[in-house]
Amino acid sequence: QAHGVAGLEGDGNDVGEVHGLAGEALARIRSGGGPALLELHTYRWREHCGPNYDNNLGYRTEQEFLNWRKLCPLERLQTQGLEDGSLNAAEMERWTDEIQAEFAAALRFAKESAFPDADAMLRSVYADNKTASARRLPHAA
């Protein structure tokens, strides 16, 4: 607040609430009211750097994990939509099939693509010439 930034806080596992808060922030920004910050509470279910579960590491209990798992935003949205009639099972099945096909195509594309050259990691990264040349590290060919 001291810097004139509006702060909005909410449940990051509630799709409707996130949508509403994002709308508020955008309305403020677009009307010239300045920047906005969203703080959305959520939980990481899987390891920091990979696709696996890491509950065996001992920094959280299985019960803590299960309590947060019940708050899955997609499952909550699906349940709510099916209950209020805004979604139906046929739509859900069609969308699931479309998403799975899109993911499979993306995975296939990635596996069939050539590995990028080392310079690719510096593309679209902003830095002035002094900083960029000072930071550039040699890489193996």
Side-chain angles (χ1 to χ4, degrees), residues 1-2 11 14 16 21 28 33 52 57 70 72 74 77 83 86 88 91 95 99 103 105 107 110 116 123 129 133:
Q1 288 179 344
D11 179 355
D14 182 325
L21 290 170
R28 172 189 166 84
N52 301 310
L57 298 179
K70 290 177 193 172
C72 172
L74 296 178
L77 182 64
E83 287 175 358
S86 60
N88 64 53
E91 286 176 318
W95 290 340
I99 291 167
F103 180 80
L107 187 59
R123 287 187 208 126
N129 286 337
S133 62

Side-chain angles (χ1 to χ4, degrees), residues 56-106:
N56 61 319
L57 298 179
Y59 64 88
R60 61 179 164 198
T61 66
E62 189 67 17
Q63 190 59 51
E64 175 186 333
F65 170 81
L66 293 172
N67 289 341
W68 277 97
R69 180 67 182 85
K70 290 177 193 172
L71 299 175
C72 172
L74 296 178
E75 289 175 11
R76 288 169 74 183
L77 182 64
Q78 179 180 342
T79 299
Q80 180 183 0
L82 291 171
E83 287 175 358
D84 70 17
S86 60
L87 291 175
N88 64 53
E91 286 176 318
M92 290 301 302
E93 186 174 340
R94 182 174 52 84
W95 290 340
T96 299
D97 291 345
E98 288 175 10
I99 291 167
Q100 287 175 342
E102 185 177 344
F103 180 80

Side-chain angles (χ1 to χ4, degrees), residues 8-54:
L8 301 168
E9 181 179 3
D11 179 355
N13 287 351
D14 182 325
V15 174
E17 186 172 340
V18 170
H19 184 266
L21 290 170
E24 281 183 54
L26 283 172
R28 172 189 166 84
I29 293 164
R30 289 176 176 157
S31 70
L37 171 76
L38 295 178
E39 180 182 0
L40 303 168
H41 303 276
T42 190
Y43 190 80
R44 179 186 54 77
W45 300 346
R46 297 187 184 248
E47 61 191 352
H48 284 276
C49 58
N52 301 310
Y53 290 100
D54 58 1

